[in-house]
Amino acid sequence: MKGHLEKVEGGFLYFHSGGAGKLKVAWKYVLSLHVPESFAVLEKGVHIRQDRPNLRVPEGPFEVKGQILTVSSVSGAIRVPIGKITHIIDAKTYEKTVYGNPRLWQGWTGSVSGGASFVQSTQSLETFNSSIALVRAIPVVSWLEPDNRSILGFTSTYGSIAQPNTPTISTGIYHGNAEQDEYFPETSMPLSRHSMTITQLLG
């Protein structure tokens, strides 16, 4: 089969073939493979952090015969058992991800929601709600060791009750929180954690 290898992840090879389209193939079905493009081969137990490349990660074209993958790196041929491989990433993506630094506004995920309700009867009731929950985990790929995580949250509830010949009653509750975690090298345990919570009640 001829095609272009995109990546290897979770024990599967992801190909793009002109005739068959995108393919997902398990390692056990691969008897031999020749890839002329340069890829980075990641093994179990090899830790990589943002801006700190690991010299134990071989890069280069590779071929597979049986249960052995051989990388033609600049330092010579490096043999890696298939069972020890966790990821294979094209060299350009690997270097861009390892050496790159996401900008402050990049890498955020989360949700924003809002709602309102109105009731008109003897009393007039208005309620407004909003919520923002954001998380930014750096790096954004699973094969790099965690470096830091930022969490931002904000919720608000505002309501008012009005009826004839009485003052309008308004109530507002605003809650905000922020957290910043820094991680130990080669672990998933936070090295330091800074958090702040603010709640304000207006009535």
Side-chain angles (χ1 to χ4, degrees), residues 18 104 133 168:
L104 183 61
T168 299

Side-chain angles (χ1 to χ4, degrees), residues 102-104 106-109 134-138 148-151:
R103 299 184 183 276
L104 183 61
Q106 295 177 321
W108 290 96
T109 61
L134 300 175
V135 177
R136 181 179 187 256
I138 300 298
N148 65 77
R149 181 179 62 175
S150 304
I151 300 174

Side-chain angles (χ1 to χ4, degrees), residues 164-201:
N165 304 318
T166 60
T168 299
I169 301 174
S170 299
T171 302
I173 301 175
Y174 304 92
H175 175 84
N177 65 282
E179 181 178 316
Q180 177 70 20
D181 298 334
E182 303 290 338
Y183 290 87
F184 283 106
E186 301 186 5
T187 75
S188 58
M189 297 296 294
L191 171 64
S192 62
R193 173 171 291 172
H194 309 281
S195 62
M196 177 178 64
T197 300
I198 299 174
T199 301
Q200 186 172 14
L201 174 64

Side-chain angles (χ1 to χ4, degrees), residues 48-123:
I48 311 166
R49 291 179 65 84
Q50 194 103 42
D51 284 332
R52 301 174 192 174
N54 193 318
L55 298 179
R56 293 173 57 192
V57 176
E59 294 183 57
F62 69 88
E63 63 178 10
V64 176
K65 290 185 179 180
Q67 293 299 304
I68 298 296
L69 181 148
T70 303
V71 184
S72 300
S73 69
V74 293
S75 59
I78 298 176
R79 293 160 58 88
V80 183
I82 294 298
K84 290 187 175 182
I85 296 173
T86 60
H87 296 78
I88 298 179
I89 306 148
D90 73 90
K92 289 183 179 179
T93 299
Y94 172 78
E95 293 178 5
K96 181 180 178 180
T97 305
V98 171
Y99 291 103
N101 285 308
R103 299 184 183 276
L104 183 61
W105 59 85
Q106 295 177 321
W108 290 96
T109 61
S111 62
V112 177
S113 62
S117 64
F118 304 92
V119 177
Q120 294 288 340
S121 61
T122 305
Q123 294 180 327

